[in-house]
Amino acid sequence: MSTGPADTGNVYLCIDLKCFYASVECADRGLDPFRTNLVVADSCRGKGTICLAITPAMKALGVRNRCRVFEIPKSVDFIECRPHMRRYMEESAEIYGIYLRYFSPEDIHVYSVDECFIDVTGYLRLYGETPVSMAKKLMAIIRRERHICATAGVGTNLFLAKVALDVLAKREPDGIGWLDEETFRRRVWHHRPLTDIWGIGPGTARRLERYGALDLAGVTRVNEELLYGAFGVNAEYLIDHAWGREPCTMVDIHAFRPQTHSISNGQVLMQDYPSEQARIVLREMADASCLDLVQKDVACTGVALWVGYSCAEEGPAGASASRRLGAPTDSRTGLCQLLLALWDEVADPTRSVRRLGVALTGLVPAGVSQPSLFDDGAALAREHELTRATIAVKGRFGKNALVRGTSFRPGSTGRARNEQVGGHLG
């Protein structure tokens, strides 16, 4: 294949660790993921649970990635592994350490546990490599040292590197795709479906279809005013990407600071919960969010609550409510009481609950928070000291070293969730 974009201008790699969770499980067992049928899933949650990963061997049999356990054909024999999220994070850190041997942290952006971007612009001449040969060497080192197969996209901007990975790399014998703007128009402009393109989901694709845009070439033919009318400021990204343009650089990514912040906490319950038990779980979630608030040394200016009812019951799918606060606060007691009051206000006590979410919104530095004339300043100070002490105990002895009594009541999930990483046992 070609050596890819010339080593002039910006060049980026986007490296993906293939079927990462399943590959880690195979590596730990000394198995070849290209010859082993293995699924990472926790079927104790039910046969409807989603497979977090499957091996390339299972994909070759036509098994769909992210399928549910019951959707795997009965004729396929496979090994099922419960997710080990801490192990995957450890392995991801080991592979990040490989990148750090050759590149500065300022030139690396970790996009997810199994994917990262690297700006190799200033390294090609240093190492005497082309972009593709650089990708090959990194992939070979990862395979040799960590027994994980990787694929890579090479592009003259971040977007092209990602599209080269997602659309082209899987079709190349060496697992490397590359794009510059000219090659992009030749190889990707007419690619369908649009949902294969980074940043275009099913909803966006359906809306674009109304304007006759079934691929990126079609997007370039749509009147820009129509796009801005339909997508607002997001139309700018669609237009740039349709032409293969991406102004964002690695420097921009590392310099980015979000204008708004929030702390959110959500969970899908293992079974339908009666309203009174769901309220207990909400109390635990609110308390955990408040501890996180104080640990980050911030206060919030609003709260929000989401309730999702059992899909087996008739009626609305859920309920939600939010409140803005008169002043920023990090009061554990006050915020928990407010979230429970929202629950009592909007939750239907006759409905079973399956999903819950809370958010503390509009975060500001904790020093901004000032008690009002109606607050007991001394009581707030004592509460804050107690919260800090709770955080210290949990940090030293584990999250379950100190829990509220409600976490021992029937239906509570707090203690079990304290042992999990990413919603699964570590």
Side-chain angles (χ1 to χ4, degrees):
M1 65 180 292
S2 169
T3 57
D7 60 351
T8 57
N10 292 332
V11 182
Y12 299 89
L13 303 185
C14 185
I15 301 179
D16 175 65
L17 306 174
K18 193 174 180 67
C19 306
F20 183 53
Y21 296 170
S23 294
V24 173
E25 297 291 349
C26 284
D28 288 348
R29 292 166 171 77
L31 301 173
D32 183 349
F34 291 89
R35 297 183 178 181
T36 305
N37 294 337
L38 183 144
V39 170
V40 178
D42 190 359
S43 61
C44 70
R45 300 185 177 203
K47 292 298 182 181
T49 191
I50 293 176
C51 298
L52 299 184
I54 61 175
T55 55
M58 293 197 68
K59 290 185 179 180
L61 296 174
V63 179
R64 182 174 54 86
N65 194 33
R66 301 287 293 179
C67 67
R68 298 183 184 275
V69 172
F70 73 82
E71 294 176 326
I72 300 174
K74 303 297 183 185
S75 58
V76 177
D77 292 326
F78 61 90
I79 301 169
E80 181 180 316
C81 299
R82 181 175 60 80
H84 298 93
M85 306 307 291
R86 285 191 180 91
R87 176 72 188 94
Y88 309 146
M89 293 167 65
E90 292 169 356
E91 188 60 38
S92 180
E94 292 286 346
I95 294 172
Y96 179 70
I98 292 175
Y99 304 146
L100 290 178
R101 296 179 199 169
Y102 306 97
F103 311 104
S104 167
E106 288 77 18
D107 293 314
I108 304 172
H109 171 56
V110 177
Y111 184 62
S112 67
V113 71
D114 60 352
E115 197 168 320
C116 82
F117 291 90
I118 305 175
D119 183 350
V120 299
T121 307
Y123 298 90
L124 299 176
R125 183 170 296 177
L126 173 66
Y127 295 126
E129 302 284 353
T130 67
V132 171
S133 68
M134 176 79 78
K136 285 182 177 179
K137 287 196 173 182
L138 285 175
M139 292 160 61
I141 293 169
I142 294 168
R143 187 67 181 268
R144 182 175 66 250
E145 296 186 15
R146 307 310 307 174
H147 309 292
I148 303 294
C149 180
T151 55
V154 183
T156 51
N157 62 47
L158 290 164
F159 172 71
L160 292 180
K162 176 64 171 168
V163 174
L165 172 73
D166 292 343
V167 177
L168 302 182
K170 66 183 71 173
R171 297 178 174 85
E172 298 292 347
D174 59 2
I176 301 173
W178 73 266
L179 288 171
D180 55 19
E181 288 190 26
E182 186 278 327
T183 311
F184 168 78
R185 289 191 290 271
R186 178 162 46 86
R187 301 194 64 187
V188 179
W189 233 6
H190 300 285
H191 176 85
R192 300 179 185 181
L194 260 176
T195 50
D196 285 349
I197 305 300
W198 188 29
I200 298 182
T204 299
R206 285 193 296 269
R207 293 165 72 186
L208 287 170
E209 188 175 355
R210 297 172 193 165
Y211 299 100
L214 301 177
D215 49 33
L216 290 176
V219 176
T220 66
R221 293 191 292 267
V222 179
N223 182 284
E224 291 190 4
E225 291 186 4
L226 291 177
L227 291 175
Y228 276 101
F231 298 99
V233 294
N234 289 330
E236 181 178 351
Y237 304 111
L238 281 172
I239 294 166
D240 276 348
H241 289 173
W243 289 102
R245 300 189 297 252
E246 175 52 70
C248 180
T249 66
M250 197 67 74
V251 172
D252 296 326
I253 291 174
H254 287 292
F256 174 74
R257 297 294 182 271
Q259 292 183 342
T260 59
H261 302 266
S262 66
I263 290 174
S264 59
N265 187 354
Q267 66 174 296
V268 178
L269 302 171
M270 297 288 287
Q271 61 192 34
D272 293 347
Y273 267 47
S275 181
E276 63 272 15
Q277 286 190 349
R279 194 177 189 275
I280 293 172
V281 175
L282 172 66
R283 178 67 175 83
E284 293 179 308
M285 294 170 63
D287 192 63
S289 296
C290 291
L291 290 175
D292 196 19
L293 189 77
V294 174
Q295 188 169 24
K296 288 180 167 61
D297 202 27
V298 292
C300 69
T301 59
V303 300
L305 164 70
W306 300 271
V307 184
Y309 299 123
S310 169
C311 59
E313 299 177 353
E314 295 183 359
S320 63
S322 62
R323 289 288 185 277
R324 287 194 60 81
L325 308 177
T329 183
D330 60 0
S331 170
R332 188 179 175 190
T333 300
L335 290 170
C336 287
Q337 288 177 346
L338 179 55
L339 283 164
L340 290 173
L342 286 182
W343 167 274
D344 294 336
E345 179 181 323
V346 302
D348 185 342
T350 67
R351 301 285 301 278
S352 298
V353 176
R354 198 59 182 263
R355 294 171 301 281
L356 285 169
V358 300
L360 308 180
T361 60
L363 302 188
V364 297
V368 174
S369 176
Q370 296 291 335
S372 71
L373 294 174
F374 304 100
D375 290 327
D376 186 335
L380 288 174
R382 289 194 299 271
E383 180 194 9
H384 195 269
E385 290 179 4
L386 178 60
T387 303
R388 284 287 184 189
T390 302
I391 292 169
V393 170
K394 287 175 174 284
R396 182 173 181 180
F397 299 105
K399 291 183 179 180
N400 281 335
L402 191 61
V403 296
R404 291 185 179 273
T406 51
S407 291
F408 292 90
R409 295 180 63 181
S412 64
T413 64
R415 288 182 300 148
R417 282 171 61 83
N418 285 342
E419 301 292 338
Q420 296 177 348
V421 178
H424 298 273
L425 292 175

